[in-house]
Amino acid sequence: MRTKNIAIIGAPLDLGAGRRGVDMGPSAVRVAGLHARLAALGYEVADLGNVAVEQAESVPAGPKRTRYLPQIAEACTRLARMVEKAAAGGAAPIVLGGDHSVAMGTVSAMAAHSGARSASSAWCGWTRTPT
């Protein structure tokens, strides 16, 4: 059965990116009218806000090959909780990123929710805004 409920979750995470800026993605997509466009298609839309994310200027980067790893892991853990709660409530979560590291939270939550034996068994889709 196809859900008519959508939960929008922002993940303004750019700590895994090589350059700054992708953290503005969730705001840009919202300003572009995502909520209204989904509602016009007949969906009930709830915007759950943004997951809390550390800012690069406020934390040490750490080793070059694992820059911001603890902060990324914590943000993805918080994101996973939000995604799984939305899915458990019957909504289809739409996660607005951020860099590609948000996939860790999104895929792990949907795999857990769907009972998938592996993350590859859960469907997730990505789109990228051209730069």
Side-chain angles (χ1 to χ4, degrees):
M1 183 170 129
R2 185 174 161 187
T3 183
K4 293 298 279 182
N5 297 314
I6 291 177
I8 298 171
I9 302 168
L13 183 63
D14 71 351
L15 298 175
R19 59 185 169 161
R20 304 296 310 277
V22 297
D23 59 325
M24 295 184 287
S27 293
V29 173
R30 286 177 172 119
V31 168
L34 177 63
H35 187 287
R37 290 176 189 214
L38 291 171
L41 293 172
Y43 292 98
E44 294 290 326
V45 182
D47 192 325
L48 305 181
N50 289 344
V51 64
V53 175
E54 295 283 350
Q55 297 300 306
E57 299 82 13
S58 65
V59 293
K64 185 174 181 164
R65 292 185 57 121
T66 57
R67 295 178 322 119
Y68 304 109
L69 182 58
Q71 295 84 3
I72 293 169
E74 183 56 38
C76 288
T77 299
R78 286 192 295 268
L79 176 60
R81 287 187 201 117
M82 291 178 75
V83 168
E84 193 162 5
K85 184 176 179 181
I94 294 180
V95 176
L96 309 175
D99 65 41
H100 292 92
S101 65
V102 302
M104 290 185 288
T106 306
V107 173
S108 65
M110 292 308 294
H113 174 72
S114 69
R117 291 182 182 263
S118 70
S120 63
S121 300
W123 183 88
C124 290
W126 280 265
T127 186
R128 182 177 169 277
T129 304
T131 54

